Amino acid sequence: MTDPAEKSQWANLNGMKVHIDQIEKHLRDLKALGGEMPVIEKNVRAMMSFIYALKFGISDLAEMD
């Protein structure tokens, strides 16, 4: 684990979590607006996979902080 001095130099995890949640909301909105357009469904699904990776990597750390 890292000591508290190193932890203070980390990025603003809570701020990053807020932005990740907003991006996820925007992607869900985009999917709803796109209806059943395959290009929208495919790209939103791909982008959501990145959001989930960020979410579980950053959000978990932010909650521990």
Side-chain angles (χ1 to χ4, degrees):
M1 282 265 146
T2 60
D3 66 35
E6 287 181 31
K7 197 172 191 179
S8 68
Q9 295 179 12
W10 284 7
N12 180 353
L13 297 176
N14 288 323
M16 289 172 37
K17 180 184 181 304
V18 168
H19 284 287
I20 291 168
D21 291 342
Q22 289 173 345
I23 293 168
E24 182 179 22
K25 181 194 176 303
H26 290 306
L27 286 172
R28 291 183 192 280
D29 292 346
L30 181 62
K31 183 177 178 183
L33 290 170
E36 296 181 15
M37 290 179 63
V39 67
I40 299 296
E41 288 182 345
K42 177 183 176 186
N43 285 292
V44 166
R45 188 172 39 248
M47 288 184 271
M48 287 297 275
S49 68
F50 291 111
I51 293 302
Y52 288 136
L54 282 172
K55 191 172 193 165
F56 294 113
I58 297 299
S59 297
D60 290 348
L61 290 174
E63 289 173 9
M64 288 175 34
D65 189 31

